[in-house]
Amino acid sequence: QKEVEQDPGPLSVPEGAIVSLNCTYSNSAFQYFMWYRQYSRKGPELLMYTYSSGNKEDGRFTAQVDKSSKYISLFIRDSQPSDSATYLCAMPHSGYALNFGKGTSLLVTP
Amino acid sequence: GAVVSQHPSWVICKSGTSVKIECRSLDFQATTMFWYRQFPKQSLMLMATSNEGSKATYEQGVEKDKFLINHASLTLSTLTVTSAHPEDSSFYICSARSQGSYEQYFGPGTRLTVT
């Protein structure tokens, strides 16, 4: 079993919709949780970074962590075509290297 | 946010030659740098981790003699693909973190094509 599981999609939504992206993980030692956005042929861009359980909001983005369920989510409000990208969840393990999910491909249609 | 650059962004080389890719942290000191490769429609695969002034730690299955990593300063790491072959064609991405921080910031990537 991979340590981080993420549905690869693709996920297609109309512009303005609320998008929910999710990951599950198996290692209860994970404490830090990150979401990256990657456009095609570009490096990943750090979107959100949370520590332990709870919510964190930044503009249209909300990251949510439920450590009891080993489940993290990224919500995007008022989605825009420019949000079309692959979203990767990631958790650092010892040595600081990141465990990545496979990434969810999101398409927001005008 | 912190900025990481990579050079070149795209390189084509002939089979058997070597290629060097540079990764620079522009506005912070990178205690640790990571090198990843990514094949189309797949997630990032960690190749190696390097700490400034130390030898790189390679992931299982990555040939250390083929992928030479140097992290000589707190702002620069290089990846040299030696005796490149067509199967080495891929998207290579570096990332960097500063001391005491878990966040990693990624470069824009380098597309390597070996003919």
Side-chain angles (χ1 to χ4, degrees), chain A residues 24-39:
Chain A
T24 59
Y25 62 95
S26 58
N27 190 338
S28 57
F30 289 150
Q31 297 279 355
Y32 296 85
F33 306 91
M34 302 173 197
W35 285 96
Y36 286 87
R37 175 175 64 193
Q38 186 177 25
Y39 292 110

Side-chain angles (χ1 to χ4, degrees), chain B residues 43-69:
Chain B
S43 192
L44 292 85
M45 289 173 41
L46 179 66
M47 299 175 66
T49 301
S50 73
N51 292 295
E52 185 261 340
S54 303
K55 286 186 178 181
T57 302
Y58 291 81
E59 295 299 298
Q60 193 172 10
V62 177
E63 300 174 58
K64 61 181 68 176
D65 294 331
K66 182 171 185 60
F67 298 100
L68 302 179
I69 291 171

